[in-house]
Amino acid sequence: MAPKKAAAEKVEKAAAPAVEAAAAPAPGGKGGKGGRGKIDGKKSQSKSHKAGLQFPVGRISRFLKKGKYATRVGAGAPVYLASILEYLTAEILELAGNAARDNKKTRIVPRHIQLAVRNDEELNKLFGGVTIAQGGVLPNIHSVLIPKSSTPKEKEGASTPVKKEKKEKKAAK
């Protein structure tokens, strides 16, 4: 057993200076690689993860650049655009989910999106010129088209037309 322990101690002593050298800061700086490259052992983070978003910031940045909307695209523009798109999507999905639940459905269909958008004042203004396929229209009957009731109840207690006519004759005399 003694030869195995001796061999293990030699390996530990040989590995120790390499570990210390890796932990020691680079000469002539504040440590690390001077802002160049990644630090060993660090996992890369996406721009979406850094911004705390679900929408792809990198993809939106690529679309902004390839779309030739401007000659230069700042670093904050795709983050801002991704956050706006994520917020609008969450808002519409929440309202559409409520509309689906009101109709006792578990799946959101275009009809629910249409109801959600058209019942919300701000989203209706934003989607003013948009037609949602298979969305239908809001249920609405103009008040002029609704028939009036044939027997209006009066406060005086005249429930039949005969009593009403008699009261009108008495009032005329």
Side-chain angles (χ1 to χ4, degrees):
M1 288 213 181
K4 287 184 180 178
K5 281 186 179 180
E9 288 176 3
K10 286 181 183 178
V11 171
E12 287 176 7
K13 286 181 182 178
V19 172
E20 290 174 9
K30 294 182 180 179
K33 292 183 169 183
R36 295 174 286 111
K38 297 179 210 169
I39 299 171
D40 293 336
K42 279 278 189 174
K43 201 171 185 183
S44 62
Q45 273 190 330
S46 68
K47 293 178 186 176
S48 299
H49 185 74
K50 287 179 185 177
L53 298 173
Q54 298 298 316
F55 270 51
V57 174
R59 186 180 298 177
I60 291 172
S61 177
R62 187 179 76 235
F63 289 156
L64 285 173
K65 290 173 186 174
K66 286 192 176 180
K68 302 289 184 188
Y69 298 106
T71 54
R72 298 167 65 178
V73 177
V79 176
Y80 192 76
L81 183 56
S83 64
I84 290 170
L85 291 174
E86 185 173 319
Y87 168 74
L88 286 174
T89 304
E91 189 74 20
I92 291 170
L93 284 175
E94 182 183 352
L95 294 172
N98 293 343
R101 191 176 61 238
D102 292 344
N103 291 327
K104 298 180 179 77
K105 306 285 185 203
T106 56
R107 183 176 294 159
I108 296 174
V109 294
R111 173 69 177 161
H112 301 139
I113 296 172
Q114 173 82 324
L115 291 172
V117 167
R118 300 304 169 200
N119 285 325
D120 188 77
E121 185 180 336
E122 292 172 343
L123 286 175
N124 189 26
K125 187 176 179 183
L126 180 66
F127 285 74
V130 175
T131 302
I132 298 174
Q134 296 291 314
V137 295
L138 284 180
N140 184 27
I141 300 173
H142 201 278
S143 59
V144 175
L145 300 174
I146 298 174
K148 295 179 181 176
S149 59
S150 59
T151 57
K153 294 184 179 180
E154 293 183 6
K155 293 178 181 176
E156 298 174 14
S159 58
T160 61
V162 177
K163 288 182 180 179
K164 189 175 180 182
E165 289 176 17
K166 288 181 181 178
K167 285 191 175 185
E168 287 176 357
K169 286 182 183 178
K170 287 182 181 179
K173 289 184 181 179

